[in-house]
Amino acid sequence: MTKAATTAVCERGERYRPFLVSRVGNADPLDRALDALRTGADPVAALDELDAALQASGDPQGLYGALRGVRDPSTATGIESSVPGESLYLCPTERCSRYWLPDGPGPAPQCALSEAPLRRRKL
Ligand SMILES: [Zn+2]
């Protein structure tokens, strides 16, 4: 669950920021979750706090409710059957299970944890 929640923060962190700022005036719960994840501290309390803050701000799914939409590459089908030579992009922190398959030209998305773009890996 923590890894899935980490993935959600990596994928959606920068979308949560303006949402929290507009609703409660600051993104402190997000920053505390990011700090915990970046420093390697136990992030569970901070992730719980972010989940509660999102729900209190009017996002009924919160952080954990949104996990249904997060894919885990270890269980995802389709990666193995991808065209050889196609690129897979993985989170540069290697601490979450986010991945991204390019669907056209354009820059790779950024990881909210490291603020670095996802890293390319040849299949
Ligand atoms: Zn990440």
Side-chain angles (χ1 to χ4, degrees):
M1 189 53 137
T2 301
K3 186 155 191 183
T6 304
T7 306
V9 173
C10 173
E11 282 196 355
R12 298 153 206 242
E14 292 315 310
R15 267 180 280 162
Y16 288 146
R17 183 178 302 283
F19 175 76
L20 286 168
V21 169
S22 72
R23 297 303 174 99
V24 294
N26 67 71
D28 292 352
L30 174 63
D31 286 323
R32 278 193 286 274
L34 287 170
D35 275 354
L37 291 166
R38 283 172 182 155
T39 59
D42 182 354
V44 172
L47 291 170
D48 285 350
E49 189 199 353
L50 176 58
D51 179 59
L54 287 168
Q55 293 193 49
S57 304
D59 178 349
Q61 287 201 317
L63 180 67
Y64 298 130
L67 298 182
R68 284 188 291 274
V70 176
R71 298 157 302 171
D72 181 343
S74 62
T75 57
T77 54
I79 290 189
E80 298 80 4
S81 58
S82 297
V83 182
E86 207 176 299
S87 296
L88 174 71
Y89 287 72
L90 299 175
C91 177
T93 70
E94 295 177 358
R95 257 185 284 144
C96 76
S97 50
R98 179 181 183 180
Y99 71 92
W100 178 74
L101 290 166
D103 48 12
Q110 276 201 350
C111 171
L113 299 184
S114 61
E115 292 171 327
L118 299 198
R119 220 184 267 148
R120 186 173 174 199
R121 211 191 72 182
K122 278 269 187 201
L123 291 176

